[in-house]
Amino acid sequence: MHELSIAIRIIDIAEEESRKHDDACVMAVHLKIGCMSGVVIEALLSAFEIAREETLLAHAELKIEALPVKVRCPKCDCEQLADSIQCLCCSVCRTLSPEITQGRELEVVAVELEPLETVQ
Amino acid sequence: MTDPALHRSTAGVATRLVQVRTKILKQNDVVARRLRQCFHQNGVYVVSLVSSPGSGKTMLLEQTLTMMRQRGHRVAALVGDLATENDAARLKRAEVPVRQITTGTVCHLEAEMLEKTLAGWQLNELDYLFVENVGNLVCPATYDLGEDLRLVLFSTTEGEDKPLKYPTIFNTADMAVITKMDLAEVVEFDAEAAHRNIHAVRPEMEILELSAKSGAGMQQWLQCLEAHRAASASAST
Ligand SMILES: [Zn+2]
């Protein structure tokens, strides 16, 4: 279960951003997670529940965009969705492709911080 | 007022949205890049091995270290393990330097663990360094260790559908090694299906079949390592 250490890294990154912005509480963290990143989203969500206690993310939620695997299809000569992670073939023409163009992402895209008093 | 930094969250409260775009494993990636550079500067070729427990990884490694030493190569191994030092003790029989990385509860190696364990080692006195990851086909997939070649091992006794059950680790590896080929007939291992499944999750992947016990395929395996090291050396000059 490496999702706990991934959750801790996410919290570190978000807290670093929060420190740059008057230590605001983090309301949400936007993530991009590829289907072939090796991270199980359900496991990450439960690990996050545990790891966020007593941090600036105590009330934060994870907003995850799960990215499907895409390959560069040599036959169609363009980027295509792969059939599945069990079959890295072009979903259109079924040609196998070794070139993955999407699906390995593991990124924090943005953080949502609590509103400033003056903003309200 | 339309401040782009303001974002209307689902609760209807205007939160401040800060773009970040940071790789979650940036720390690991930075260390892995540093390690890779250090390995190349010292002329050591680094091979990592991942597999589930019981795939015959330690036995293959023991044989490999012994035979590589006999072929005149300077070799060493780093072994990742949750708690015990059994694997490292077994590998020391190959009479090459072996160090243990005890990960405690951590189910995979990270680049920082390698860097720490390698401190003080004379890497320039080595031709090959083998890194045995913790027995696990899930977690190690996510972490770059700065290695030149990542091998995924599975044995004939584990069945042909192993790659379909763990596609990510097969996809992130460079080469697949099927071990315990001496048992293939007994367990009715379907090699053709195994190759098909490997290529479905990692098209064009190089596959070797061997048995560390009978010695079948071992010469080819060692030659393959030598060829990869030579190719890497000529590519970096
Ligand atoms: Zn196609």
Side-chain angles (χ1 to χ4, degrees):
Chain A
M1 236 285 275
H2 63 305
E3 281 81 2
L4 185 58
S5 56
I6 302 278
I8 293 168
R9 299 278 164 93
I10 292 169
I11 292 169
D12 288 346
I13 293 168
E15 286 197 314
E16 198 183 313
E17 281 313 310
S18 147
R19 273 193 291 277
K20 291 182 202 161
H21 296 84
D22 48 76
D23 293 320
C25 275
V26 180
M27 309 305 287
V29 184
H30 295 242
L31 305 170
K32 269 188 184 165
I33 298 185
C35 293
M36 206 169 260
S37 64
V39 167
V40 179
I41 289 174
E42 292 71 35
L44 177 63
L45 289 171
S46 26
F48 180 70
E49 291 281 310
I50 300 161
R52 68 177 181 174
E53 275 182 39
E54 289 172 41
T55 72
L56 291 169
L57 283 81
H59 305 288
E61 61 170 320
L62 295 185
K63 294 185 176 174
I64 299 176
E65 185 187 353
L67 300 172
V69 177
K70 287 184 178 173
V71 293
R72 171 153 292 282
C73 174
K75 206 165 168 189
C76 303
D77 198 28
C78 65
E79 190 186 35
Q80 298 280 21
L81 276 177
D83 212 36
S84 71
I85 65 167
Q86 269 93 22
C87 184
L88 292 185
C89 63
C90 166
S91 56
V92 176
C93 73
R94 321 254 338 142
T95 307
L96 281 167
S97 167
E99 199 187 335
I100 292 185
T101 54
Q102 178 188 286
R104 285 194 171 144
E105 296 76 5
L106 203 50
E107 278 178 27
V108 176
V109 179
V111 295
E112 278 177 49
L113 303 176
E114 67 178 342
L116 281 175
E117 298 290 345
T118 52
V119 170
Q120 288 173 345
Chain B
M1 193 177 82
T2 52
D3 185 342
L6 292 180
H7 179 77
R8 206 151 284 278
S9 77
T10 43
V13 185
T15 57
R16 289 174 286 159
L17 187 73
V18 182
Q19 299 290 337
V20 183
R21 295 224 68 117
T22 302
K23 287 196 173 162
I24 295 170
L25 294 179
K26 63 173 177 180
Q27 276 176 327
N28 184 79
D29 293 347
V30 166
V31 179
R33 209 172 306 132
R34 192 157 69 214
L35 279 173
R36 189 167 279 123
Q37 222 166 26
C38 166
F39 294 149
H40 286 182
Q41 277 163 2
N42 284 288
V44 56
Y45 190 73
V46 180
V47 182
S48 78
L49 295 89
V50 287
S51 78
S52 37
S55 64
K57 184 171 45 175
T58 308
M59 175 144 183
L60 172 63
L61 202 46
E62 188 183 345
Q63 290 296 321
T64 304
L65 292 172
T66 305
M67 293 171 83
M68 288 294 267
R69 186 171 54 82
Q70 287 163 354
R71 284 163 93 100
H73 299 302
R74 301 167 302 172
V75 291
L78 270 188
V79 187
D81 221 329
L82 291 171
T84 65
E85 296 206 359
N86 291 343
D87 284 356
R90 267 181 71 186
L91 291 178
K92 278 188 179 138
R93 294 194 306 221
E95 294 172 41
V96 303
V98 175
R99 274 195 195 181
Q100 172 92 18
I101 302 178
T102 306
T103 59
T105 56
V106 182
C107 46
H108 58 269
L109 292 179
E110 296 186 18
E112 266 178 335
M113 301 177 188
L114 250 74
E115 192 167 56
K116 253 188 221 156
T117 313
L118 287 170
W121 245 11
Q122 296 300 317
L123 288 174
N124 59 356
E125 290 173 8
L126 292 177
D127 300 316
Y128 293 87
L129 173 66
F130 292 88
V131 179
E132 182 184 331
N133 215 316
V134 179
N136 177 344
L137 281 180
V138 180
C139 309
T142 312
Y143 298 86
D144 183 6
L145 300 178
E147 69 270 73
D148 295 292
L149 190 71
R150 179 178 292 199
L151 307 173
V152 57
L153 268 63
F154 77 109
S155 64
T156 54
T157 55
E158 293 171 84
E160 305 83 10
D161 54 353
K162 202 87 189 179
L164 302 181
K165 286 184 187 157
Y166 301 94
T168 303
I169 195 93
F170 277 83
N171 186 272
T172 53
D174 303 299
M175 192 195 293
V177 178
I178 305 174
T179 61
K180 303 190 188 176
M181 283 305 289
D182 55 307
L183 298 175
E185 236 180 270
V186 189
V187 298
E188 295 180 14
F189 179 72
D190 183 346
E192 204 183 302
H195 285 233
R196 196 168 54 240
N197 292 341
I198 291 169
H199 286 147
V201 299
R202 178 72 149 129
E204 300 174 17
M205 188 184 225
E206 189 173 0
I207 305 172
L208 284 181
E209 298 176 346
L210 52 81
S211 163
K213 197 175 172 193
S214 74
M218 286 300 285
Q219 292 299 329
Q220 197 198 349
W221 150 245
L222 301 176
Q223 283 161 10
C224 175
L225 289 175
E226 289 167 346
H228 275 276
R229 178 168 190 256
S232 143
S234 65
S236 63
T237 51

